[in-house]
Coordinates of all heavy atoms in Angstrom, one line a residue:
M1 N 17.8 -12.6 8.4 CA 18.9 -11.9 9.0 C 19.3 -12.5 10.4 O 18.4 -12.7 11.1 CB 18.5 -10.4 9.1 CG 19.6 -9.5 9.6 SD 19.0 -7.9 10.0 CE 18.1 -7.4 8.5
N2 N 20.5 -12.7 10.7 CA 20.8 -13.2 12.0 C 21.1 -12.1 12.9 O 21.1 -10.9 12.6 CB 22.1 -14.2 11.9 CG 23.4 -13.5 11.7 OD1 23.4 -12.3 11.9 ND2 24.4 -14.3 11.4
Y3 N 21.2 -12.5 14.2 CA 21.2 -11.4 15.3 C 22.5 -10.5 15.2 O 22.4 -9.4 15.6 CB 21.1 -12.1 16.7 CG 22.4 -12.9 17.0 CD1 23.5 -12.4 17.8 CD2 22.5 -14.2 16.6 CE1 24.6 -13.1 18.1 CE2 23.7 -14.9 16.9 CZ 24.7 -14.4 17.6 OH 25.9 -15.0 17.9
R4 N 23.6 -11.1 14.7 CA 24.8 -10.3 14.6 C 24.7 -9.3 13.5 O 25.0 -8.1 13.8 CB 26.0 -11.3 14.3 CG 27.3 -10.7 14.5 CD 28.4 -11.8 14.4 NE 28.3 -12.8 15.5 CZ 29.1 -12.7 16.6 NH1 29.7 -11.6 16.8 NH2 28.9 -13.6 17.6
T5 N 24.1 -9.6 12.3 CA 23.9 -8.7 11.3 C 22.9 -7.6 11.8 O 23.1 -6.4 11.6 CB 23.3 -9.4 10.0 OG1 24.1 -10.6 9.8 CG2 23.2 -8.5 8.9
A6 N 21.9 -8.0 12.5 CA 20.9 -7.1 13.0 C 21.5 -6.1 14.0 O 21.1 -4.9 13.9 CB 19.8 -7.8 13.7
Y7 N 22.4 -6.6 14.8 CA 23.0 -5.7 15.8 C 23.8 -4.6 15.1 O 23.7 -3.4 15.4 CB 24.0 -6.6 16.6 CG 24.9 -5.8 17.6 CD1 24.3 -5.4 18.9 CD2 26.2 -5.4 17.3 CE1 25.0 -4.7 19.8 CE2 26.9 -4.7 18.3 CZ 26.3 -4.4 19.5 OH 27.1 -3.7 20.4
W8 N 24.7 -5.0 14.1 CA 25.5 -4.0 13.4 C 24.7 -3.1 12.5 O 24.9 -1.9 12.4 CB 26.7 -4.7 12.6 CG 27.7 -5.2 13.6 CD1 27.9 -6.6 13.8 CD2 28.5 -4.5 14.4 NE1 28.8 -6.7 14.8 CE2 29.2 -5.5 15.2 CE3 28.7 -3.1 14.7 CZ2 30.1 -5.1 16.2 CZ3 29.7 -2.8 15.7 CH2 30.3 -3.8 16.4
L9 N 23.7 -3.6 11.9 CA 22.8 -2.9 11.0 C 22.0 -1.8 11.8 O 21.9 -0.7 11.4 CB 21.8 -3.8 10.2 CG 20.8 -3.1 9.3 CD1 21.6 -2.4 8.2 CD2 19.9 -4.0 8.7
S10 N 21.6 -2.2 13.0 CA 20.9 -1.2 13.7 C 21.7 -0.1 14.2 O 21.3 1.0 14.3 CB 20.1 -1.9 14.9 OG 21.0 -2.2 16.0
I11 N 23.0 -0.5 14.6 CA 23.9 0.6 15.1 C 24.2 1.5 13.9 O 24.2 2.8 14.1 CB 25.3 0.0 15.5 CG1 25.0 -0.6 16.9 CG2 26.4 1.0 15.6 CD1 26.3 -1.3 17.5
F12 N 24.4 1.0 12.7 CA 24.6 1.8 11.5 C 23.5 2.7 11.2 O 23.5 3.9 11.0 CB 24.9 1.0 10.3 CG 24.9 1.7 9.0 CD1 26.0 2.5 8.7 CD2 23.8 1.7 8.2 CE1 26.0 3.2 7.5 CE2 23.8 2.4 7.0 CZ 24.9 3.2 6.7
L13 N 22.2 2.1 11.3 CA 21.0 3.0 11.1 C 20.8 4.1 12.1 O 20.4 5.2 11.8 CB 19.8 2.1 11.0 CG 19.7 1.2 9.8 CD1 18.6 0.1 10.0 CD2 19.4 2.0 8.5
W14 N 21.1 3.7 13.4 CA 21.0 4.8 14.4 C 22.0 5.9 14.2 O 21.6 7.1 14.2 CB 21.3 4.1 15.8 CG 20.1 3.5 16.5 CD1 19.7 2.2 16.4 CD2 19.1 4.2 17.3 NE1 18.6 2.0 17.2 CE2 18.2 3.2 17.7 CE3 18.9 5.5 17.7 CZ2 17.1 3.5 18.5 CZ3 17.9 5.8 18.5 CH2 17.0 4.8 18.9
L15 N 23.2 5.6 13.9 CA 24.3 6.6 13.7 C 23.9 7.4 12.4 O 23.9 8.7 12.5 CB 25.6 6.0 13.5 CG 26.3 5.5 14.8 CD1 27.6 4.8 14.5 CD2 26.5 6.7 15.7
A16 N 23.6 6.8 11.3 CA 23.3 7.5 10.1 C 22.0 8.3 10.3 O 22.0 9.4 9.8 CB 23.0 6.5 9.0
G17 N 21.1 7.8 11.1 CA 19.8 8.6 11.3 C 20.1 9.8 12.1 O 19.6 10.9 11.8
F18 N 20.9 9.7 13.2 CA 21.2 10.9 14.0 C 22.0 11.9 13.2 O 21.7 13.1 13.3 CB 22.0 10.5 15.3 CG 21.1 10.1 16.4 CD1 21.0 8.9 16.9 CD2 20.3 11.1 16.9 CE1 20.2 8.5 17.9 CE2 19.4 10.7 18.0 CZ 19.3 9.4 18.5
I19 N 23.0 11.4 12.4 CA 23.8 12.4 11.6 C 22.8 13.1 10.6 O 22.8 14.3 10.4 CB 24.9 11.7 10.9 CG1 25.9 11.3 11.9 CG2 25.5 12.5 9.8 CD1 27.0 10.3 11.4
L20 N 21.9 12.3 9.9 CA 21.0 13.0 9.0 C 20.0 13.9 9.7 O 19.6 15.0 9.1 CB 20.2 11.9 8.3 CG 20.9 11.2 7.0 CD1 20.2 10.1 6.6 CD2 21.1 12.3 6.0
L21 N 19.6 13.5 10.9 CA 18.7 14.4 11.6 C 19.4 15.8 11.9 O 18.7 16.8 11.8 CB 18.3 13.8 13.0 CG 17.0 13.1 13.0 CD1 16.6 12.6 14.4 CD2 15.8 13.9 12.5
I22 N 20.6 15.7 12.3 CA 21.3 16.9 12.7 C 21.6 17.8 11.5 O 21.2 18.9 11.4 CB 22.7 16.6 13.4 CG1 22.4 16.0 14.8 CG2 23.5 17.9 13.6 CD1 23.6 15.4 15.5
L23 N 22.1 17.1 10.4 CA 22.3 17.8 9.1 C 21.0 18.3 8.6 O 20.9 19.4 8.0 CB 23.1 17.0 8.2 CG 24.6 16.6 8.6 CD1 25.2 15.7 7.5 CD2 25.4 17.8 8.8
G24 N 20.0 17.4 8.7 CA 18.7 17.8 8.1 C 18.1 18.9 8.8 O 17.4 19.8 8.2
G25 N 18.3 19.0 10.1 CA 17.7 20.1 10.9 C 18.4 21.4 10.5 O 17.7 22.5 10.3
I26 N 19.7 21.3 10.3 CA 20.4 22.6 9.8 C 19.9 23.0 8.5 O 19.6 24.2 8.3 CB 22.0 22.3 9.8 CG1 22.5 22.1 11.2 CG2 22.7 23.4 9.1 CD1 23.9 21.5 11.3
S27 N 19.8 22.0 7.6 CA 19.4 22.3 6.2 C 18.0 22.8 6.2 O 17.6 23.6 5.3 CB 19.7 21.2 5.2 OG 18.6 20.3 5.3
A28 N 17.1 22.3 7.1 CA 15.8 22.6 7.1 C 15.6 24.1 7.5 O 14.8 24.9 7.0 CB 14.9 21.7 8.0
L29 N 16.5 24.5 8.5 CA 16.4 25.8 9.0 C 17.0 26.8 8.0 O 16.5 28.0 7.8 CB 17.1 25.9 10.3 CG 16.4 25.3 11.5 CD1 17.3 25.2 12.7 CD2 15.1 26.0 11.8
S30 N 18.2 26.4 7.4 CA 18.9 27.4 6.6 C 18.5 27.4 5.2 O 18.4 28.5 4.6 CB 20.4 27.2 6.7 OG 20.7 25.9 6.2
A31 N 18.2 26.2 4.6 CA 17.9 26.2 3.2 C 16.5 25.8 2.9 O 16.2 25.6 1.8 CB 18.9 25.3 2.5
R32 N 15.7 25.5 3.9 CA 14.4 25.0 3.8 C 14.3 23.6 3.0 O 13.4 23.4 2.3 CB 13.5 26.0 3.0 CG 13.5 27.3 3.7 CD 12.2 27.7 4.4 NE 12.2 28.9 5.1 CZ 12.2 29.0 6.4 NH1 12.3 28.0 7.2 NH2 12.2 30.2 6.9
V33 N 15.4 22.8 3.1 CA 15.4 21.5 2.5 C 15.2 20.5 3.6 O 15.9 20.4 4.6 CB 16.7 21.3 1.9 CG1 16.8 19.8 1.3 CG2 17.0 22.3 0.8
Q34 N 14.0 19.9 3.6 CA 13.6 19.1 4.7 C 13.8 17.5 4.5 O 13.7 16.8 5.5 CB 12.1 19.3 5.0 CG 11.9 20.7 5.5 CD 10.5 21.1 5.8 OE1 9.6 20.4 5.3 NE2 10.3 22.1 6.6
W35 N 14.0 17.1 3.3 CA 14.1 15.6 3.1 C 15.2 14.9 3.9 O 15.0 13.8 4.4 CB 14.1 15.2 1.6 CG 15.4 15.6 0.9 CD1 15.5 16.8 0.1 CD2 16.6 15.0 0.8 NE1 16.8 16.8 -0.4 CE2 17.5 15.7 0.0 CE3 17.0 13.8 1.4 CZ2 18.8 15.3 -0.2 CZ3 18.3 13.3 1.1 CH2 19.2 14.1 0.3
P36 N 16.4 15.5 4.1 CA 17.4 14.7 4.9 C 16.9 14.5 6.4 O 17.2 13.5 7.0 CB 18.6 15.7 4.9 CG 18.4 16.6 3.7 CD 16.9 16.8 3.6
M37 N 16.1 15.5 6.9 CA 15.6 15.3 8.2 C 14.7 14.2 8.3 O 14.7 13.3 9.2 CB 14.9 16.6 8.7 CG 14.7 16.7 10.2 SD 14.3 18.4 10.6 CE 12.6 18.5 9.9
Y38 N 13.8 14.0 7.3 CA 12.8 12.9 7.2 C 13.5 11.6 7.0 O 13.1 10.6 7.6 CB 11.8 13.1 6.2 CG 10.8 14.3 6.5 CD1 10.7 15.4 5.5 CD2 10.2 14.4 7.6 CE1 9.9 16.4 5.8 CE2 9.4 15.5 7.9 CZ 9.2 16.5 7.0 OH 8.4 17.6 7.3
L39 N 14.6 11.6 6.2 CA 15.4 10.4 5.9 C 16.0 10.0 7.2 O 16.1 8.7 7.5 CB 16.4 10.7 4.8 CG 17.0 9.5 4.1 CD1 15.9 8.7 3.4 CD2 18.1 9.9 3.2
G40 N 16.6 10.9 8.0 CA 17.1 10.5 9.3 C 16.2 10.0 10.2 O 16.5 8.9 10.9
F41 N 15.0 10.5 10.3 CA 13.9 10.0 11.1 C 13.6 8.5 10.7 O 13.4 7.7 11.5 CB 12.7 10.9 11.0 CG 11.6 10.4 11.9 CD1 11.7 10.6 13.3 CD2 10.4 9.9 11.3 CE1 10.6 10.1 14.1 CE2 9.4 9.5 12.1 CZ 9.5 9.6 13.5
L42 N 13.4 8.3 9.4 CA 13.1 7.0 8.9 C 14.2 6.0 9.2 O 13.9 4.8 9.6 CB 13.0 7.0 7.3 CG 11.6 7.4 6.9 CD1 11.6 7.4 5.3 CD2 10.6 6.3 7.4
A43 N 15.5 6.4 9.2 CA 16.6 5.5 9.4 C 16.5 5.1 10.9 O 16.8 3.9 11.2 CB 17.9 6.2 9.1
I44 N 16.2 6.0 11.8 CA 16.1 5.7 13.2 C 15.0 4.7 13.4 O 15.1 3.7 14.2 CB 16.0 6.9 14.1 CG1 17.3 7.7 14.0 CG2 15.6 6.6 15.5 CD1 17.3 9.1 14.7
V45 N 13.9 4.9 12.8 CA 12.7 4.0 12.9 C 13.1 2.7 12.4 O 12.7 1.6 13.1 CB 11.5 4.6 12.2 CG1 10.4 3.6 12.1 CG2 11.0 5.8 12.9
A46 N 13.8 2.6 11.3 CA 14.3 1.3 10.7 C 15.2 0.6 11.7 O 15.2 -0.6 11.8 CB 14.9 1.6 9.3
G47 N 16.1 1.4 12.3 CA 17.0 0.9 13.3 C 16.3 0.2 14.5 O 16.6 -0.9 14.9
I48 N 15.3 0.9 15.0 CA 14.5 0.3 16.1 C 13.8 -0.9 15.6 O 13.8 -2.0 16.3 CB 13.5 1.4 16.6 CG1 14.2 2.5 17.2 CG2 12.5 0.8 17.6 CD1 13.3 3.8 17.5
A49 N 13.2 -0.9 14.4 CA 12.5 -2.1 13.9 C 13.4 -3.3 13.7 O 13.1 -4.4 14.0 CB 11.8 -1.7 12.6
T50 N 14.7 -3.0 13.3 CA 15.6 -4.0 13.1 C 16.0 -4.7 14.4 O 16.0 -5.9 14.5 CB 16.9 -3.4 12.4 OG1 16.6 -2.8 11.1 CG2 18.0 -4.6 12.2
D51 N 16.2 -3.8 15.4 CA 16.4 -4.3 16.8 C 15.3 -5.2 17.2 O 15.6 -6.3 17.8 CB 16.6 -3.2 17.7 CG 18.0 -2.9 18.0 OD1 18.9 -3.7 17.8 OD2 18.3 -1.8 18.5
L52 N 14.1 -4.8 17.2 CA 12.9 -5.4 17.7 C 12.6 -6.7 17.0 O 12.3 -7.7 17.6 CB 11.7 -4.5 17.6 CG 11.7 -3.4 18.6 CD1 10.5 -2.5 18.4 CD2 11.7 -3.8 20.0
L53 N 12.8 -6.7 15.6 CA 12.5 -7.9 14.8 C 13.6 -9.0 14.8 O 13.3 -10.1 14.8 CB 12.0 -7.4 13.4 CG 10.8 -6.6 13.3 CD1 10.6 -6.1 11.9 CD2 9.6 -7.4 13.7
F54 N 14.9 -8.5 14.6 CA 15.9 -9.5 14.2 C 16.9 -9.7 15.3 O 17.7 -10.6 15.2 CB 16.5 -9.0 12.9 CG 15.6 -9.0 11.8 CD1 15.2 -7.8 11.3 CD2 15.0 -10.1 11.2 CE1 14.3 -7.7 10.2 CE2 14.1 -10.1 10.2 CZ 13.8 -8.8 9.6
Y55 N 17.1 -8.7 16.3 CA 18.1 -8.9 17.3 C 17.6 -9.8 18.4 O 17.1 -9.4 19.4 CB 18.6 -7.6 17.9 CG 19.8 -7.7 18.7 CD1 20.9 -8.4 18.4 CD2 19.8 -6.9 19.9 CE1 22.0 -8.5 19.2 CE2 20.9 -7.0 20.8 CZ 22.0 -7.8 20.4 OH 23.1 -7.9 21.2
R56 N 17.6 -11.2 18.1 CA 17.0 -12.1 19.0 C 17.9 -13.3 19.1 O 18.7 -13.6 18.2 CB 15.7 -12.6 18.4 CG 14.7 -11.5 18.4 CD 13.3 -12.0 17.8 NE 12.3 -11.0 18.0 CZ 11.6 -10.9 19.1 NH1 11.7 -11.7 20.0 NH2 10.7 -9.9 19.2
C57 N 17.8 -14.1 20.2 CA 18.6 -15.4 20.3 C 18.1 -16.3 19.3 O 16.9 -16.5 19.1 CB 18.3 -15.9 21.7 SG 18.9 -17.5 22.0
P58 N 19.1 -16.9 18.6 CA 18.7 -17.9 17.5 C 18.2 -19.2 18.2 O 17.6 -20.0 17.4 CB 20.1 -18.2 16.8 CG 21.1 -17.7 17.8 CD 20.5 -16.7 18.7
H59 N 18.4 -19.4 19.4 CA 17.9 -20.7 20.1 C 16.4 -20.5 20.6 O 15.6 -21.3 20.3 CB 18.8 -21.1 21.2 CG 20.3 -21.2 20.7 ND1 20.6 -22.2 19.8 CD2 21.4 -20.5 21.0 CE1 22.0 -22.1 19.5 NE2 22.4 -21.1 20.3
C60 N 16.3 -19.5 21.4 CA 15.0 -19.4 22.1 C 14.1 -18.3 21.5 O 12.9 -18.2 21.8 CB 15.1 -19.2 23.6 SG 15.9 -17.6 24.1
G61 N 14.7 -17.4 20.7 CA 13.9 -16.4 20.0 C 13.6 -15.1 20.8 O 12.9 -14.3 20.3
K62 N 14.1 -15.1 22.1 CA 13.8 -13.9 22.9 C 14.7 -12.7 22.4 O 15.9 -12.9 22.0 CB 14.1 -14.2 24.4 CG 13.0 -15.1 24.9 CD 12.9 -15.1 26.4 CE 11.8 -15.9 26.8 NZ 11.8 -16.2 28.3
S63 N 14.2 -11.6 22.6 CA 14.9 -10.4 22.1 C 16.1 -10.1 23.0 O 15.9 -10.1 24.3 CB 13.9 -9.1 22.2 OG 14.6 -8.0 21.9
L64 N 17.2 -9.7 22.4 CA 18.4 -9.4 23.2 C 18.6 -7.9 23.3 O 19.6 -7.4 23.8 CB 19.6 -9.9 22.4 CG 19.7 -11.5 22.2 CD1 20.8 -11.9 21.3 CD2 19.8 -12.2 23.5
I65 N 17.5 -7.2 23.1 CA 17.5 -5.7 23.1 C 17.8 -5.2 24.4 O 18.3 -4.1 24.7 CB 16.3 -5.1 22.5 CG1 16.5 -3.7 22.0 CG2 15.1 -5.1 23.4 CD1 15.4 -3.2 21.1
S66 N 17.5 -6.0 25.5 CA 17.6 -5.5 26.9 C 19.0 -5.7 27.4 O 19.4 -5.2 28.5 CB 16.6 -6.2 27.8 OG 16.9 -7.6 27.7
V67 N 19.9 -6.5 26.6 CA 21.2 -6.7 27.0 C 22.0 -5.5 26.7 O 22.1 -5.0 25.6 CB 21.8 -7.9 26.3 CG1 23.2 -8.2 26.7 CG2 20.9 -9.2 26.6
R68 N 22.7 -4.9 27.7 CA 23.6 -3.8 27.6 C 24.9 -4.1 27.0 O 25.3 -5.2 27.2 CB 23.7 -3.0 28.8 CG 22.5 -2.4 29.4 CD 22.6 -1.5 30.5 NE 21.4 -1.0 31.0 CZ 21.1 -0.6 32.3 NH1 22.1 -0.7 33.1 NH2 20.0 -0.2 32.6
G69 N 25.5 -3.1 26.3 CA 26.8 -3.3 25.7 C 26.8 -4.1 24.4 O 25.8 -4.0 23.7
S70 N 27.9 -4.8 24.2 CA 28.0 -5.5 22.8 C 27.2 -6.8 22.9 O 26.5 -7.2 23.9 CB 29.4 -5.7 22.5 OG 30.0 -6.5 23.5
I71 N 27.3 -7.6 21.9 CA 26.6 -8.9 21.8 C 27.1 -9.8 22.9 O 28.3 -10.0 23.0 CB 26.8 -9.5 20.4 CG1 26.3 -8.6 19.3 CG2 26.2 -10.9 20.3 CD1 26.7 -9.1 17.9
P72 N 26.2 -10.4 23.7 CA 26.7 -11.3 24.8 C 27.2 -12.6 24.3 O 26.9 -13.0 23.1 CB 25.5 -11.5 25.6 CG 24.4 -11.3 24.6 CD 24.8 -10.3 23.7
S73 N 28.1 -13.3 25.0 CA 28.6 -14.6 24.6 C 27.5 -15.7 24.8 O 27.5 -16.7 24.1 CB 29.8 -15.0 25.4 OG 30.7 -14.0 25.3
F74 N 26.7 -15.5 25.8 CA 25.6 -16.5 26.1 C 24.3 -15.7 26.2 O 24.2 -14.6 26.6 CB 25.9 -17.1 27.4 CG 27.1 -18.0 27.4 CD1 28.3 -17.5 27.8 CD2 27.1 -19.4 27.1 CE1 29.5 -18.3 27.8 CE2 28.2 -20.2 27.1 CZ 29.4 -19.6 27.4
C75 N 23.2 -16.5 25.8 CA 21.9 -15.9 25.8 C 21.5 -15.8 27.3 O 21.6 -16.7 28.1 CB 20.9 -16.7 25.1 SG 19.2 -16.3 25.4
P76 N 21.1 -14.6 27.8 CA 20.8 -14.4 29.2 C 19.4 -15.2 29.6 O 19.1 -15.3 30.8 CB 20.5 -12.9 29.4 CG 20.3 -12.4 28.1 CD 21.0 -13.3 27.0
F77 N 18.7 -15.6 28.6 CA 17.4 -16.3 28.9 C 17.5 -17.8 28.9 O 17.0 -18.4 29.8 CB 16.4 -15.7 27.8 CG 16.2 -14.3 27.8 CD1 16.8 -13.5 26.8 CD2 15.6 -13.6 28.8 CE1 16.7 -12.1 26.8 CE2 15.5 -12.2 28.8 CZ 16.0 -11.5 27.9
C78 N 18.1 -18.4 27.8 CA 18.2 -19.8 27.8 C 19.6 -20.3 28.1 O 19.8 -21.5 28.3 CB 17.7 -20.4 26.4 SG 18.8 -19.9 25.0
G79 N 20.6 -19.4 28.2 CA 22.0 -19.8 28.6 C 22.8 -20.5 27.6 O 23.9 -20.9 27.8
R80 N 22.3 -20.6 26.3 CA 23.0 -21.3 25.3 C 24.0 -20.3 24.7 O 23.8 -19.1 24.6 CB 22.1 -21.8 24.2 CG 21.3 -23.0 24.7 CD 20.9 -23.8 23.6 NE 19.5 -24.2 23.8 CZ 18.7 -24.7 22.8 NH1 19.2 -24.9 21.6 NH2 17.5 -25.0 23.0
P81 N 25.2 -20.8 24.2 CA 26.2 -19.9 23.6 C 25.7 -19.2 22.3 O 25.0 -19.9 21.5 CB 27.4 -20.8 23.4 CG 26.8 -22.2 23.3 CD 25.6 -22.2 24.1
L82 N 26.1 -18.0 22.1 CA 25.8 -17.3 20.9 C 27.1 -17.2 20.1 O 28.0 -16.6 20.6 CB 25.2 -15.9 21.2 CG 24.0 -15.8 22.0 CD1 23.8 -14.3 22.4 CD2 22.8 -16.3 21.3
D83 N 27.1 -17.9 19.0 CA 28.4 -17.9 18.3 C 28.6 -16.8 17.2 O 27.7 -16.1 17.0 CB 28.6 -19.3 17.6 CG 27.4 -19.8 16.9 OD1 26.5 -19.0 16.5 OD2 27.1 -21.0 16.9
Ligands
LIG1 ZN1 18.1 -17.9 24.2

């Protein structure tokens, strides 16, 4: 998986995870159905793991997780362009 795929996949997992957590929390309280809440938690953990493992510079391999905002044009560590 390249860094660009990892970036979008982790955003998707974070969003899906939060939505599932909120809906799961409601269903756990009202209907005692707890699996959506656990699924949401798992999606967030998977999003964090995707960020940590795959959102990295393809040249130097350093994690881009500390870069704020969207995908940078250049790696802040080795200075090479990220295409
Ligand atoms: Zn780099």
Side-chain angles (χ1 to χ4, degrees):
M1 185 188 310
N2 73 13
Y3 68 94
R4 198 173 287 275
T5 309
Y7 177 81
W8 290 111
L9 181 63
S10 80
I11 286 178
F12 170 77
L13 286 169
W14 273 95
L15 281 176
F18 273 113
I19 291 167
L20 277 171
L21 262 188
I22 292 166
L23 294 178
I26 294 168
S27 79
L29 288 174
S30 61
R32 306 250 179 255
V33 179
Q34 295 180 336
W35 66 265
M37 200 169 69
Y38 294 125
L39 197 66
F41 181 73
L42 272 179
I44 290 175
V45 170
I48 294 170
T50 303
D51 259 342
L52 289 175
L53 293 173
F54 300 110
Y55 188 44
R56 295 177 171 275
C57 170
H59 306 292
C60 67
K62 290 202 173 164
S63 175
L64 301 170
I65 202 168
S66 62
V67 179
R68 290 189 185 154
S70 61
I71 300 171
S73 306
F74 294 89
C75 172
F77 303 104
C78 66
R80 291 205 225 166
L82 300 171
D83 42 28

